[in-house]
């Protein structure tokens, strides 16, 4: 068994009361690591440490170049420890090793490099005023940031929050999800090795309600809360934060619509549609879990899509050939498997897929579900796609927008005017036209409706993790 502690004030420590929990490998379904189990008291220790590091320590007072140098060093160490970090996430939550190695870990390093550089080179505004004054904006760090991360991209989502927070001079307390704690401790160890001052990046393990998560969101000493997870949890966190008027950034659930028009390049659309729903076993907030196909190509598209889904390689996530691993936990497997029963009980059909061994679900296609069916409206968060036909553009847009979620959508068409029109009409935070998951880290990332509050990325992260200050100065007294 491996062992992972909290990292508070530059040291890896046990919980105050010595409590631990076990992280279960969802492939073997056996515990593989012992993890410190924090309480509200451990959260308070971490917040106090981060507070002192912010109020009295060097970090917020360093130049962007000095901080950037340390964050680049951390990015280099992440790259150098790719195998260890990739294996940690894969063992914790079952994501195929090919994905953690080629995507999640490199992207985590990139998050630090990008935000370090972005903070260093982004200009602030000046406003020359006509009356003998000028105004300019300072982007001062906000203070102590609580980052609450999900289990579906453990290292990648944690670094997406931590990197801009640190680059702008804040100190951080990270609570990783209880299903995927290991990579957070490894990251904090590497941050110390890179030379980040003690107390700047703290990690506390534990649960959400009545535990570390709740303590972080209720603390008056936390200045910003950034959270990714379920929409219901987002509401609970918003309510807790409201007690102290602490600003929150929430990236919540999704039910991405993927619109495939008859004029699309079908091979291309099938390839992306497969990727959009089955990568990470569908445990992706951005998943294209509602696949709307124009009626004229519906049968052909469905046949090609089904063949590609059935060809996917299931198995041990530590095998580099595996494309579909187990779901992240028994609880989550039961939730996703339950939706297969919901689909058939509601009169829909499992066109392909279903349960496999252990906690694995085969790439599943549901047909014959209505627009109002639960499987069409609710976030399943597994390798399960609902395929529905549409007649024309107006029909496609209205079906896509008929959802409580508004995180993202995809449109496949060769008609660029239509791609622009549809992108304009969709009520979501991101539209991908003829692609999926391609990111420019300067662009806003977040969701409309129940998919979130606020945006992160580039200057959007700056707005959230700083306290923008207007300085108005008289130039010449008259
Ligand atoms: O999410 P939670 P869960 C969706 C997906 C999934 C469902 C449940 O549909 O099936 O959520 O997953 C912490 N105060 N997404 O239960 O509970 C918790 O410890 C403070 C979408 O894992 O939202 C963990 O660190 N913190 C998603 C984090 O919140 C609390 C990614 C997420 O857990 C808390 C993951 C509280 N009261 C799941 N309660 C996405 N948008 O990508 C929980 N937490």
């Amino acid at each position: 068994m491996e062992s992972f502690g909290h990292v508070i004030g530059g040291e890896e420590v046990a919980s105050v009361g010595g409590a631990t929990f076990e992280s279960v490998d969802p492939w073997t379904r056996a515990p593989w690591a012992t993890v410190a189990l924090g309480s509200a008291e451990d959260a308070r220790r971490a917040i106090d440490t981060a507070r002192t590091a912010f109020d009295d320590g060097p970090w917020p007072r360093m130049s962007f170049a000095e901080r950037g140098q340390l964050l680049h060093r951390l990015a280099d160490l992440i790259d150098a420890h790719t195998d260890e970090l990739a294996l940690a996430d894969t063992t914790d939550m079952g994501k195929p090793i090919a994905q953690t190695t080629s995507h999640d870990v490199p992207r985590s390093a990139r998050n630090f490099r990008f935000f370090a550089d972005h903070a260093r080179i982004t200009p602030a505004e000046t406003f020359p005023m006509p009356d003998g004054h000028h105004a300019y904006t300072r982007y001062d760090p906000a203070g102590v940031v609580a980052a609450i991360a999900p289990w579906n991209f453990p290292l990648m989502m944690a670094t997406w929050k931590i990197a801009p927070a640190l680059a702008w001079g804040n100190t951080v307390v990270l609570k990783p999800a209880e299903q995927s704690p290991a990579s957070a401790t490894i990251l904090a160890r590497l941050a110390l090795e890179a030379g980040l001052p003690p107390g700047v990046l703290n990690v506390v393990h534990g649960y959400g309600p009545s535990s570390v998560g709740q303590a972080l969101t209720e603390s008056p000493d936390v200045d910003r809360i950034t959270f990714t997870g379920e929409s219901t949890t987002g509401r609970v966190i918003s309510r807790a934060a409201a007690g102290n008027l602490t600003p929150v950034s929430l990236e919540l659930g999704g039910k991405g619509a993927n619109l495939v028009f008859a004029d699309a390049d079908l091979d291309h659309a099938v390839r992306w549609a497969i990727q959009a729903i089955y990568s990470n076993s569908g445990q992706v907030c951005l998943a294209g879990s509602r696949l709307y196909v124009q009626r004229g190509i519906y049968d052909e598209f469905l046949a090609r899509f089904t063949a590609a889904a059935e060809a996917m390689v299931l198995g041990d996530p530590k095998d580099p050939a595996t494309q579909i691993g187990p779901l992240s936990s028994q609880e989550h497997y039961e939730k996703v498997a339950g939706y297969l029963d919901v689909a058939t009980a509601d009169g829909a059909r499992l066109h392909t897929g279903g349960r496999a061994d252990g906690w694995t679900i085969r790439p599943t296609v549901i047909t014959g579900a209505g627009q109002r069916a639960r499987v069409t409206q609710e976030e399943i968060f597994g390798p399960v796609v609902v395929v529905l036909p549409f007649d024309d553009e107006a029909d496609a847009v209205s079906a896509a927008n008929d959802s409580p979620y508004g995180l993202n959508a995809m449109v496949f068409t060769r008609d660029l005017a239509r791609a622009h029109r549809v992108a304009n009409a969709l009520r979501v935070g991101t539209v991908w036209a003829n692609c999926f998951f391609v990111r420019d880290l300067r662009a806003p990332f977040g969701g409309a409706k129940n998919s979130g509050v606020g945006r992160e990325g580039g200057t959007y992260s700056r707005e959230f993790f700083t306290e923008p200050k207007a300085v108005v100065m008289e130039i010449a007294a008259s």
Side-chain angles (χ1 to χ4, degrees), residues 64-369:
F64 286 112
E66 285 172 308
R67 276 201 300 266
Q69 210 172 22
L70 295 174
L71 295 176
H72 270 271
R73 206 178 288 161
L74 174 54
D76 294 343
L77 284 171
I78 290 173
D79 281 339
H81 287 76
T82 298
D83 291 347
E84 183 188 1
L85 287 161
L87 193 61
D89 278 356
T90 290
T91 314
D92 260 344
M93 52 71 66
K95 179 193 291 263
I97 194 82
Q99 209 183 96
T100 41
T101 306
S102 71
H103 173 263
D104 292 29
V105 178
R107 170 60 198 282
S108 301
R110 193 173 147 224
N111 285 339
F112 282 106
R113 292 193 182 102
F114 169 80
F115 283 108
D117 293 346
H118 183 262
R120 186 170 51 78
I121 66 175
T122 303
E125 307 86 356
T126 61
F127 306 95
M129 297 163 72
D131 59 352
H133 294 76
H134 79 155
Y136 64 90
T137 317
R138 289 184 55 87
Y139 288 95
D140 296 329
V144 173
V145 171
I148 302 177
W151 46 259
N152 58 337
F153 290 85
L155 184 68
M156 202 271 262
M157 286 309 305
T159 56
W160 171 246
K161 298 171 181 308
I162 295 167
L166 293 181
W168 287 100
N170 302 281
T171 58
V172 171
V173 179
L174 165 68
K175 192 201 88 60
E178 52 272 33
Q179 298 86 346
S180 56
S183 60
T185 293
I186 300 171
L187 176 71
R189 292 173 188 158
L190 295 178
L192 292 169
E193 193 180 330
L196 271 73
V200 167
L201 173 58
N202 306 279
V203 170
V204 190
H205 298 289
Y207 304 119
S210 313
S211 176
V212 174
Q214 187 174 334
L216 290 176
T217 57
E218 289 178 348
S219 170
D221 286 320
V222 166
D223 300 291
R224 295 288 185 276
I225 298 165
T226 168
F227 167 77
T228 300
E230 196 176 19
S231 299
T232 315
T233 315
R235 287 192 173 83
V236 173
I237 288 176
S238 270
R239 276 195 287 273
N244 299 305
L245 294 177
T246 310
V248 291
S249 173
L250 305 174
E251 199 258 288
L252 308 174
K255 191 76 183 175
N258 188 355
L259 311 178
V260 182
F261 286 87
D263 66 353
D265 173 339
L266 282 203
D267 285 336
H268 188 73
V270 167
R271 196 152 37 81
W272 279 118
I274 288 278
Q275 170 100 357
I277 182 61
Y278 298 131
S279 75
N280 206 21
S281 291
Q283 301 166 119
V284 183
C285 52
L286 302 162
S289 49
R290 294 182 291 149
L291 181 50
Y292 296 99
V293 183
Q294 199 158 19
R295 213 173 286 279
I297 56 160
Y298 181 86
D299 290 337
E300 186 185 349
F301 186 90
L302 184 60
R304 289 203 210 181
F305 182 90
T306 303
E310 288 173 349
M312 293 188 84
V313 180
L314 275 62
D316 181 349
K318 295 190 193 79
D319 181 339
T322 294
Q323 295 174 300
I324 299 271
L327 297 178
S328 62
S329 65
Q330 178 166 18
E331 187 189 359
H332 190 56
Y333 167 77
E334 279 163 10
K335 170 186 160 174
V336 174
Y339 271 107
L340 305 183
D341 302 331
V342 167
T344 44
D346 282 353
R349 205 166 82 79
L350 293 193
H351 183 74
T352 188
R355 294 167 172 81
D357 293 337
W359 299 340
T360 304
I361 300 272
R362 292 192 283 133
T364 298
V365 173
I366 295 175
T367 54

